[in-house]
Amino acid sequence: MPHSSPLPRLTWLLVSTMTFSWALSACQPGTTAAPAAPLASTTTVSAAPDPAQVASAAALARSQALQQQVLQKADAVLARHRQMIVLMSSERPLKVAERRAVTGVGETLFHESLAEVEGLMALISNTSDPATLGAVAALLDKVESEPSWFDADRLAFKDVLTRLAQQWGQAQSIGGLKLAKRASEDLTVLGEIELAYDKELKEVFGRFAKRGIELKREKWSDYLTKLRMLYNREQILKDHGSIIPHTHNQGDAGDTDAREVFGSSLPPKTVVLTFDDGPHPRFTDEILEILKRYDAPAIFFHLGRNLGTVDAGGHPQLGAQSAVAKRVRDAGHLLANHSFSHNVMTKLDEGGVHDEAAHTEALLDAVGRDKSALFRFPYGARNAEALGAVESLQLRSMMWSVDSMDWADPVPKSIAERVLSETDKAQRGVILFHDIQGRTVQALPIVLDQLVADGYRFATWHDGKFLLKPPQRVRLDATVSTGNDTLYRRSHAVVIGIDKYTRWPGLQHAVRDAQAIQKTLIQRFGFAPENVTTLLDGDATRANILKALNNEGLADGSKVKADDRVMVFFAGHGSTRKLPSGRDVGYIIPVDASVDNLPADAISMPQLQEASESITAKHVLFMVDACYSGLGLTRGGSSGTQSKNFLKDNARRQGRQMLTAGGADQQVADDGPGGHSVFTWTVLQALGGKADMNGDGVITGTELASYVAPAVSSIARQTPAFGSLPGSEGGEFVFELPTEREALSTDSLQLDTQASALNKRLDEALQAPATVPGKAPAPLQVTVKNLEGIDTKLSTPSAAPLPPRVAAQRANDRGLSLYRERRYDEAEAAFTEALKLQPKFPLAANNLGFIYFKRGQPVEAARWFEKSIEMDGSRTLAYLNLGDAYLQHQEDAKALQAYTTFLGLSPQHPRSASLRAWVNEPDKTKQRPVLP
C-alpha cells in the first residue's frame, strides 16, 4: 500500500490480513462467473443462479456504495475545515466590520461541520455489519494516505477518529477491534501534527492580534497557498455573511442596552461562565466535574432538539440526553434557552422565532429546571423582531463579551490563552464556551486555574440580575488538582492499612498512613472518592485484597480503561521466604494471614506482578510501606532523563512501577512525625511538592523515588527501593501538582517544630541544586536500590524553562511550603522570586508581607499588604493582615480603617465578631484586639 502520509503505523497490512468473506468471494469487480455446462437434453434450459454468488455480489455492491457515501462525507468535512482555515487566516489586520462578519460566518461553518461529522458517523455506526467494516477501513486509508492532502488537513478528522476509537473499541469482532486500534494510533500521530503546527494554528485563531515579525514555515505557507486556490475569504463571506446580520457589536456601546445582557454591570474581577449547544452525552458531564473542582457556577444554554421533541399540540417529550440536563440542574447550574434547532433567527419570521424559543422552554420545564428567563441567539444573530419574539415569552437575551473561539481553534492552550487575555483586558466578562467538544474540556481547567489564582470570582444569574458566588475558602489540606483530566481519563486506587492483625504483632501507624494517602489522593490529586477502595484492619483480608486488585476490581476492563492510572498503597507487615533455589520472595501480610504458611495466607510479590499485568490502565504505581524481599522481576528503575516532550511521549508508554519502604527483612521506622511511618511521612511531603525536582508542576514516579529513597535512608535504618515491573514499557506514573491558592494569614496552619526540623533534614539529605529563574535545572543523579537490591542511578528529569507567569506561581507555591515548615528566610526568598518573575502578583505580595509580619516587622509587612490591595482590591485577607500589621505597630486609626473594610468584605470570618466589637466600641483604647 503506498504511503505518502506522515502517519507511521504498525498495522499498514491490516486490510490485507483481514478475512472478510464478502471481500474474498469469486465475485470481484471486473470478473464474471464461468458459464454453466449444458444439460444432456435437446431442450435448452437456463442455469439457475447460484444463491451464494448472488448474495456475495449484492454484499459487494452495498459495501462499495457505502464506501462511496463515507468518502463523500469525508470530503465535505474536509471542505468545511479548509474554508474555516482560509476564512480565519489573515496577513493583515482586519477591520472591525470584517472581523465581525468573519466570526459569524466561521460559527456557521463550524455548525455545518458538526452536521457533516454527525452524518459521517451515522453511516459507520453499525459495528456488526461487514460493509461498515470495509467503509471504516476505506475512511482510515484516506485519512492516513490520501496523497493530495496536507498534514494539516488530517486535523479535520480528530473528532471522527476519537469517536471511532471509542465506538469500535466495543466491537465484538477482531476486525472491528483492529480498526479501533488503528484509529487510536492515528490519533497519536495527529497529536504530533497538532504540535508541529501549534504556532501557526494559534496565529490563525488568535483573534487577529497585531503581529510583529512574522515567521512562517514553508510548509504552512504551501498549505495556505493551496487552500486559497480553492477558496477565498470574499467568496465565503458572500456565500454566508448576508444571512448573519449583527445588530450589536459585542463589547461596544451595545453593552449598555437594557434589553440585553452583556456583562458590563459585573463587578471588577468577576466572570460568568456560559456553555452553548449542549447537552452533550459525554463532554457536558466532564465539564460538570471540572466546575465542581473549582466550585464554579455556570449557565448552560441548551438546544431543544438535544433535549427531546415537541408535538403539534406543544407537548414536550424528553429524549435520552435530557438526563444530562438533569445532572446539570442537580449540580446547581442554570439551564437556559438557546433555541430549538440552532437556526439563524433573523431568517425566520416572528412566529418562527417564537416557536423556536417556546418549544425549548417547554422542554426545559419538563427537565425541571429553575426558571432562568434567559435566551441566547444562535450565532448572536438577532434583530428587533427576533428580540420582540423572545421578550413576548418573558425571556431576556444574554450575549457574551469574551469569545473563547473554541468552536474554531483546535488547540486547547490557545483557547485558554485567548480567554485569559481578553478577560485580563476587560477585568470582567461573560465568557462563551461550547460543551460539545473535547478541546473545551481540555482548555477549561487551564482557564479556571489562572482565574482563581488571579482572584476572580464567578457569578451566575438569578431574579433578573447577576448573583456572585461567595469565594471558596481553600483549606490547607483541601487543595484540588487542576489538570489531571488532561493527563488521564480517570484515576483509581486501592489503599490498604493494617494495625490490628489477627496473629501478627500489632502496628501503630499503618491505618493512619493509609488514611493520609487516601485523603491526599482525593483532595490534592482529584481521585474520585468512588474510585478509591480503602481496606483498613479487619477489611484487609487476603480475599478482599485480591478481589480489589483482580477481576472484580482494578483488572475489570469495564471500570479501568487504557487511558487511566492506578495506584496501590499498602501499609502493614511484610515478610520474606527463601526458596530452595536460594532466591528470596517477598510477601505483604493480610490481616488474616498465619505466621507459618506464607504461600497460602499471604500475597507474594509475583502475585502483585500478575495483578499489575492484568490491569489495562496506562500507568500503575505500587507503594509498599513494609519490609520486602528481592523480587527477581525487574529490569531496574529508569535512568534516562526526561525528554523535552515528556508528557506526550509518556502518554504512549505503559508504566508499571513500585516503590518500597525498605530492603529484605529490614524493620521500617514507624515513628515519624504526625503519627506516620518515616516512609509515608516522606512520601506525603514529596507529594506536597518537594519531589518536583525540575519545577514543571508534575511529579513522576522516578522523581518521587529520587526524593524519597535518599531522604528516608538518611534518617532511618532502611533503604527504600524503586524499579519497574515486567510489562512496563518505560512509562512513568505522573502526579500533576495543584496550584496553591492560599493567602497567608493568622489562620494559616504550620507544621510543629519536630516536623519542620525533620523536613529540613530531608531536603538537606538530597542536596538538590538551587533552581535559577528562567533556566531549566540540571538533572540530579541519585543512587537508589532497585527491586533486586542492586544499586542503580536515577536521573531526575530535565525540563524546559517555564514561562514567567508559571515560574512565578511555582515560586509562590514553594514559599508556602517553606512557610509551613517555619523556614522564613527561604520562604521570603521564594516569594521575592515570584514577584520578580511576575511583579503584579497580589497573592505573592500578601504572602511576602505575612513573612515580615511573622518576624515582627509590621512596617515592611504593611507596605506589602498595601501593594497586594493596590494590585487587587478584592483581596479580603490582605485587609485583615493590613489591620493586624498596623495594630502591631500601634497605629490604631489605620488598623481601624483596614478592619472596617475587611468586615464589609467578610462579615462571617471567625475573627469578625471580635473585630466588630472593637470597631463599634466608642473607646477604642478600652479593649484593643488581641492578635492570634
Side-chain angles (χ1 to χ4, degrees), residues 744-746 845-846 849-850 853 857-870 873 875-902 911 915 918 931:
L744 292 178
S745 71
T746 51
N846 173 85
F850 196 75
F853 177 77
Q857 299 174 258
V859 175
E860 188 67 7
R863 186 168 74 87
W864 284 103
F865 295 143
E866 287 171 343
K867 282 182 176 292
S868 178
I869 293 168
E870 181 182 338
R875 289 272 162 189
T876 304
L877 289 179
Y879 287 104
L880 175 63
N881 290 337
L882 181 61
D884 289 346
Y886 282 136
L887 195 70
Q888 190 181 66
H889 197 241
Q890 305 295 318
E891 294 188 66
D892 288 9
K894 290 183 178 180
L896 177 65
Q897 184 179 0
Y899 286 145
T900 301
T901 304
F902 166 72
R911 289 184 60 194
L915 292 175
W918 183 63
L931 293 175

Side-chain angles (χ1 to χ4, degrees), residues 259 261 272-276 298-303 307 328-329 332-339 357 360-376 390-391 393-399 460-467:
R259 296 180 70 179
V261 180
V272 178
L273 305 174
T274 67
F275 297 88
D276 284 10
I299 303 173
F300 288 78
F301 287 91
H302 283 343
L303 290 174
L307 297 171
V328 174
R329 174 204 66 193
H333 303 291
L334 203 60
L335 298 179
N337 192 327
H338 194 37
S339 81
T360 302
E361 282 294 289
L363 287 161
L364 288 170
D365 287 339
V367 167
R369 57 83 188 256
D370 292 333
K371 192 76 172 179
S372 71
L374 291 177
F375 182 89
R376 174 165 286 169
V390 300
E391 288 169 349
L393 294 168
Q394 283 74 54
L395 297 175
R396 190 173 179 189
S397 169
M398 174 176 277
M399 298 301 290
T460 186
W461 186 261
H462 183 70
D463 288 341
K465 60 184 178 182
F466 288 114
L467 177 67

Side-chain angles (χ1 to χ4, degrees), residues 159-427:
D159 184 52
V160 172
L161 290 172
T162 300
R163 293 170 67 176
L164 282 176
Q166 294 169 346
Q167 178 178 308
W168 289 82
Q170 305 299 319
Q172 300 301 311
S173 67
I174 294 177
L177 295 174
K178 287 183 176 180
L179 290 177
K181 182 175 184 292
R182 186 172 164 185
S184 296
E185 292 170 348
D186 291 345
L187 276 171
T188 298
V189 183
L190 278 190
E192 296 176 358
I193 294 174
E194 195 171 78
L195 182 65
Y197 287 138
D198 180 72
K199 181 179 179 182
E200 288 89 346
L201 289 167
K202 285 182 179 179
E203 288 179 351
V204 171
F205 299 108
R207 270 320 248 193
F208 313 104
K210 184 178 180 181
R211 300 180 186 176
I213 299 174
E214 184 176 6
L215 299 175
K216 292 185 176 181
R217 294 189 196 86
E218 184 178 354
K219 196 170 187 178
W220 183 260
S221 301
D222 288 346
Y223 180 55
L224 288 179
T225 299
K226 176 183 177 181
L227 296 191
R228 284 170 178 153
M229 293 172 64
L230 302 173
Y231 309 102
N232 65 78
R233 180 185 291 120
E234 290 71 23
Q235 187 61 47
I236 296 172
L237 290 173
K238 182 178 178 181
D239 292 343
H240 295 85
S242 62
I243 65 169
I244 307 181
H246 286 254
T247 59
H248 295 293
N249 183 22
Q250 299 150 11
D252 291 346
D255 285 20
T256 61
D257 189 343
R259 296 180 70 179
E260 301 190 272
V261 180
F262 283 88
S264 58
S265 63
L266 285 166
K269 304 299 286 286
T270 306
V271 295
V272 178
L273 305 174
T274 67
F275 297 88
D276 284 10
D277 296 351
H280 188 276
R282 173 187 171 191
F283 298 132
T284 301
D285 281 322
E286 293 184 7
I287 285 172
L288 288 178
E289 291 181 10
I290 296 169
L291 294 174
K292 181 180 179 181
R293 292 207 301 268
Y294 290 87
D295 195 30
I299 303 173
F300 288 78
F301 287 91
H302 283 343
L303 290 174
R305 69 185 181 195
N306 291 340
L307 297 171
T309 58
V310 179
D311 63 22
H315 302 108
Q317 180 66 44
L318 293 177
Q321 284 177 226
S322 65
V324 182
K326 291 178 181 178
R327 290 196 288 274
V328 174
R329 174 204 66 193
D330 294 342
H333 303 291
L334 203 60
L335 298 179
N337 192 327
H338 194 37
S339 81
F340 184 83
S341 66
H342 208 278
N343 205 337
V344 180
M345 297 294 105
T346 52
K347 293 175 62 178
L348 306 178
D349 59 23
E350 193 168 345
V353 176
H354 180 279
D355 289 346
E356 284 270 343
H359 289 170
T360 302
E361 282 294 289
L363 287 161
L364 288 170
D365 287 339
V367 167
R369 57 83 188 256
D370 292 333
K371 192 76 172 179
S372 71
L374 291 177
F375 182 89
R376 174 165 286 169
F377 285 94
Y379 312 106
R382 64 232 188 266
N383 52 28
E385 291 76 16
L387 279 168
V390 300
E391 288 169 349
S392 69
L393 294 168
Q394 283 74 54
L395 297 175
R396 190 173 179 189
S397 169
M398 174 176 277
M399 298 301 290
W400 59 89
S401 58
V402 176
D403 186 352
S404 69
M405 289 185 70
D406 57 350
W407 50 269
D409 191 340
V411 184
K413 287 186 178 178
S414 174
I415 294 169
E417 289 171 4
R418 177 178 305 106
V419 171
L420 293 170
S421 175
E422 293 296 311
T423 304
D424 187 57
K425 291 176 186 176
Q427 292 290 292

Side-chain angles (χ1 to χ4, degrees), residues 599-787:
D601 295 342
I603 299 173
S604 69
M605 290 300 175
Q607 284 177 292
L608 291 184
Q609 173 207 341
E610 182 180 346
S612 167
E613 293 186 276
S614 301
I615 299 170
T616 58
K618 185 179 300 176
H619 298 144
V620 180
L621 174 64
F622 288 86
M623 278 199 278
V624 181
D625 192 353
C627 56
Y628 88 111
S629 178
L631 305 182
L633 300 174
T634 81
R635 299 184 300 273
S638 169
S639 60
T641 58
Q642 182 168 302
S643 69
K644 182 178 180 180
N645 298 314
F646 163 73
L647 291 179
K648 184 190 72 163
D649 295 340
N650 193 54
R652 303 180 189 178
R653 303 191 303 267
Q654 276 203 343
R656 300 292 184 267
Q657 298 170 298
M658 178 178 284
L659 175 63
T660 71
D665 286 334
Q666 285 182 338
Q667 296 297 314
V668 297
D670 203 22
D671 54 356
H676 296 293
S677 74
V678 170
F679 174 80
T680 296
W681 170 262
T682 307
V683 167
L684 292 171
Q685 303 313 298
L687 294 179
K690 289 180 176 294
D692 182 15
M693 302 294 192
N694 58 15
D696 64 352
V698 297
I699 296 173
T700 67
T702 296
E703 281 182 296
L704 184 67
S706 297
Y707 178 84
V708 170
V712 171
S713 295
S714 70
I715 60 176
R717 294 181 179 179
Q718 60 193 83
T719 52
F722 172 74
S724 297
L725 300 176
S728 181
E729 299 171 351
E732 291 263 9
F733 192 97
V734 174
F735 293 97
E736 189 173 8
L737 289 172
T739 298
E740 295 279 9
R741 309 184 187 102
E742 184 183 11
L744 292 178
S745 71
T746 51
D747 294 334
S748 298
L749 301 178
Q750 292 184 280
L751 300 177
D752 60 33
T753 303
Q754 177 195 5
S756 297
L758 180 60
N759 269 17
K760 189 172 184 179
R761 285 179 59 193
L762 295 177
D763 289 352
E764 291 171 348
L766 190 62
Q767 295 181 339
T771 57
V772 179
K775 293 185 179 181
L780 178 67
Q781 290 281 334
V782 178
T783 299
V784 303
K785 299 288 186 183
N786 68 13
L787 296 179

